[in-house]
Amino acid sequence: MLACERGHEDIVHSLLSAGANVNIQDNKGWTALMRASKYNHISIIHMLLQANANPHLKKTLGGSNALMIATYFGNYEVVELLISKGIDYKYLRKDHGDGWNALMLACENGHTQ
């Protein structure tokens, strides 16, 4: 997760080649894909998806998925990629209590693209 967050492509590649669990979640429900989505590391996201990262997993607190995280931070290319991979852009997070979707998060933060 730290390698994905910090953009260390070579380390991510080595870890995936060694059989790292691409879908493991930390105690807050974050995955490597979520971290890469937050920090806009598109090449790492490609690697993770090729290694069968599940883009539908949700954070424990709030219920956001990788797409919602990317829209919140305005990472347009990541949003396009995740939608092209079939992630449900209409998903409403219920765990957070607000029923918001990815579009609402983008709008809240002024990310018009």
Side-chain angles (χ1 to χ4, degrees), residues 3 7 20 24 31 42-43 49 51 55 58 63 65 68 72 81 89 98 102 108:
I24 197 164
T31 64
I42 196 88
S43 58
L49 291 171
K58 297 160 188 65
N65 59 25
M68 297 180 98
Y72 181 85
L81 174 61
Y89 61 88
D98 59 11
E108 176 189 36

Side-chain angles (χ1 to χ4, degrees), residues 6-55:
R6 296 177 182 165
H8 297 298
E9 293 176 36
D10 54 337
I11 296 172
V12 173
H13 178 63
S14 295
L15 289 167
L16 292 173
S17 296
N21 181 348
V22 73
N23 290 312
I24 197 164
Q25 293 180 275
D26 67 13
N27 60 352
K28 294 184 180 178
W30 283 82
T31 64
L33 182 62
M34 290 175 192
R35 295 209 183 259
S37 296
K38 177 179 179 180
Y39 292 98
N40 204 28
H41 297 304
I42 196 88
S43 58
I44 291 175
I45 293 167
H46 279 288
M47 278 192 270
L48 295 170
L49 291 171
Q50 285 180 332
N52 296 316
N54 183 349

Side-chain angles (χ1 to χ4, degrees), residues 51-97:
N52 296 316
N54 183 349
H56 306 287
L57 293 175
K58 297 160 188 65
K59 289 182 1 184
T60 308
L61 182 61
S64 294
N65 59 25
L67 176 66
M68 297 180 98
I69 293 165
T71 58
Y72 181 85
F73 288 98
N75 298 330
Y76 177 73
E77 287 181 67
V78 175
V79 170
E80 276 192 325
L81 174 61
L82 293 173
I83 289 173
S84 77
K85 297 297 181 182
I87 194 165
D88 181 11
Y89 61 88
K90 295 179 183 178
Y91 162 74
L92 301 174
R93 64 181 186 190
K94 295 173 184 76
D95 299 341
H96 198 268

